[in-house]
Amino acid sequence: MITVISLILIIVGAINWLSVGIFDFNIVNWIFSTSSYIGARIVYAIVGVAGLWALFYLIFNKFSAARINAPETAMTRKRKKENN
């Protein structure tokens, strides 16, 4: 579950960088305005931690698709056994 949350946060961060790169518009700074500098820094830190989580997740799973999808594969096998 934490990996899915991490991926969602990474996508949010990527969309923010896309808007900065194409439109020169920072969504996080727009949401928190200049008066809430701390709020924007917290969002950036959370997205950064999510990126680190995803990086370590890939490293510890040795970039293997079978290992990365292991929870889903295990659930599929369990359902097949229950149905038989």
Side-chain angles (χ1 to χ4, degrees):
M1 184 64 181
I2 192 166
T3 305
V4 173
I5 293 169
S6 173
L7 290 174
I8 291 169
L9 289 170
I10 292 168
I11 292 168
V12 167
I15 291 170
N16 184 52
W17 279 112
L18 177 70
S19 71
V20 169
I22 294 177
F23 306 113
D24 195 26
F25 179 70
N26 192 327
I27 297 170
V28 174
N29 286 344
W30 175 70
I31 291 172
F32 288 100
S33 70
T34 56
S35 63
S36 181
Y37 177 70
I38 302 279
R41 294 210 38 177
I42 290 171
V43 169
Y44 289 134
I46 291 171
V47 171
V49 169
L52 288 175
W53 174 267
L55 176 67
F56 287 119
Y57 184 78
L58 286 173
I59 290 170
F60 286 120
N61 285 301
K62 299 179 183 175
F63 292 91
S64 170
R67 290 186 180 144
I68 291 172
N69 294 325
E72 291 85 1
T73 307
M75 291 301 293
T76 304
R77 283 188 214 137
K78 186 177 179 182
R79 285 188 202 128
K80 285 181 182 177
K81 286 181 183 177
E82 289 175 355
N83 290 337
N84 290 337

